[in-house]
Amino acid sequence: MSPVQREQENETLVGAALRVLNTADPFEKGRLGDSVASRWLQGTITRPYDPSLDIPVPDRPARLTNVKLVSPSLMPKLGKAGSLQSRQAIVHSLVHTESWAIDLSWDIVARFGKQEAMPREFFTDFVKVAQDEGRHFSLLAARLEELGSSYGALPAHDGLWDSAIATSKDLLARLAIEHCVHEARGLDVLPTTISRFRNGGDDGTADLLETVVYPEEITHCAAGVKWFKYLCLRYRYPALYQDSLCQESEAGRSETQMEEGTEEVIQKFQAIVRTHFRGPLKPPFNEKARKAAGFGPRWYEPLAVKAPASEF
């Protein structure tokens, strides 16, 4: 056994997550992430982290420089998939989003798992999310090639990682903004995007989005909602959530207590979004998909209007 193989045999999940984050090529990042995820899910990687080690997580993961980055306000219009150029632009945008989604999933594991003493199920949920995002990236990048373009051929923006930096010290904020705002926004717009590709005669892309990406993105949003609720409950009832690393399934541990705290959870969510997200949320909302992800209109509809100005 080589020294590298021996090191990987003893590797923790957080250590492996950092290897993914430090891999610049997005295709290799996706392949490595898939391998790490499989090793964790199959039990080859057994430890989430080493309690005796504090390994720094990079502020920004390694990225190639072949994608021209511009401000979100300067991004060209994507169009409505009526032309090949528009379809290429939309798929390129989706590929770029998925490339960041890979990093975001491994970052939440590496940055917050040990820091917040999260239960094993938290690691497993976001490993599954990371594996999905890597698959979405590779499938959409391959589809982009079939459409006559490639990742890096068009400009993109890094708004998703800007949000990650803004929430890098607060797991509740990270879950709320990345998973319950940005990811939920994807659920809102994907059905229209799918229809536009079908109307433009591109059933291949429409099928990929409808049968693979869309249903799996609902589960990613659900992971954010689930662990947001869990953290709120744990902060409220800390005595029930000791030794969380040893607990296999705590997120659904006390339904009665969760029901009692539902309004408090919703208010916490809304306060975080108003603090960390600029402006109101944009309707219309995909209520069916959001409900499937575990949160109803009471969570987000009040955020679709500007908060009243304080009198003080």
Side-chain angles (χ1 to χ4, degrees):
M1 182 182 294
S2 71
V4 172
Q5 288 175 320
R6 191 175 296 109
E7 182 180 346
Q8 291 185 10
E9 187 177 68
N10 297 320
E11 191 172 44
T12 65
L13 181 63
V14 167
L18 288 168
R19 284 201 297 126
V20 178
L21 291 169
N22 289 321
T23 299
D25 183 281
F27 294 91
E28 180 57 29
K29 190 188 293 278
R31 285 190 290 268
L32 177 59
D34 182 66
S35 172
V36 170
S38 295
R39 288 169 60 211
W40 171 260
L41 296 172
Q42 292 166 7
T44 307
I45 299 176
T46 59
R47 296 181 299 156
Y49 54 80
D50 184 338
S52 67
L53 289 180
D54 285 317
I55 308 174
V57 181
D59 291 335
R60 183 180 174 88
R63 306 280 295 184
L64 293 182
T65 58
N66 64 324
V67 180
K68 180 184 178 182
L69 298 176
V70 300
S71 167
S73 63
L74 298 178
M75 277 290 294
K77 297 292 185 184
L78 299 179
K80 298 184 178 181
S83 66
L84 176 60
Q85 182 179 9
S86 174
R87 291 193 288 276
Q88 290 173 339
I90 295 171
V91 175
H92 188 280
S93 175
L94 292 170
V95 172
H96 184 67
T97 297
E98 297 292 355
S99 78
W100 273 123
I102 298 170
D103 281 324
L104 284 164
S105 303
W106 290 113
D107 183 84
I108 203 171
V109 167
R111 188 175 303 277
F112 295 109
K114 178 189 174 185
Q115 175 183 306
E116 296 292 340
M118 297 301 286
R120 195 177 189 90
E121 189 177 338
F122 171 87
F123 294 91
T124 297
D125 281 356
F126 283 101
V127 163
K128 290 177 179 177
V129 171
Q131 190 171 41
D132 287 350
E133 304 293 23
R135 184 172 61 258
H136 296 176
F137 171 82
S138 63
L139 290 171
L140 285 164
R143 183 59 188 157
L144 185 59
E145 296 272 356
E146 292 170 355
L147 292 173
S149 187
S150 61
Y151 183 44
L154 298 170
H157 71 82
D158 281 355
L160 271 181
W161 198 257
D162 292 342
S163 296
I165 291 172
T167 58
S168 63
K169 306 294 185 185
D170 186 341
L171 179 54
L172 267 178
R174 173 66 65 85
L175 291 166
I177 301 302
E178 296 294 358
H179 294 277
C180 305
V181 173
H182 290 308
E183 202 133 34
R185 176 62 180 162
L187 300 182
D188 296 337
V189 301
L190 263 174
T192 298
T193 302
I194 292 165
S195 295
R196 286 175 173 174
F197 275 101
R198 290 213 187 280
N199 292 338
D202 186 351
D203 286 331
T205 304
D207 288 344
L208 173 57
L209 294 175
E210 188 168 42
T211 63
V212 179
V213 176
Y214 181 57
E216 290 182 351
E217 292 297 339
I218 293 175
T219 69
H220 303 171
C221 187
V225 175
K226 167 184 173 178
W227 291 106
F228 185 90
K229 291 176 179 178
Y230 164 87
L231 277 177
C232 289
L233 185 59
R234 191 175 75 174
Y235 293 154
R236 187 175 182 181
Y237 303 103
L240 293 176
Y241 291 87
Q242 295 173 351
D243 301 323
S244 64
L245 190 62
C246 301
Q247 299 297 330
E248 191 61 30
S249 180
E250 291 184 321
R253 181 172 183 163
S254 176
E255 292 184 10
T256 301
Q257 289 166 340
M258 182 59 78
E259 288 171 7
E260 291 173 354
T262 296
E263 193 58 41
E264 184 179 316
V265 171
I266 292 173
Q267 289 174 4
K268 181 67 173 176
F269 172 74
Q270 292 170 355
I272 288 175
V273 174
R274 288 189 169 115
T275 298
H276 291 277
F277 187 76
R278 185 178 301 171
L281 301 188
K282 187 178 180 181
F285 300 112
N286 185 341
E287 291 191 17
K288 182 179 179 181
R290 285 170 175 258
K291 182 179 180 181
F295 66 142
R298 282 199 302 146
W299 285 65
Y300 50 82
E301 282 188 347
L303 296 168
V305 294
K306 291 183 179 180
S310 172
E311 295 177 3
F312 303 98

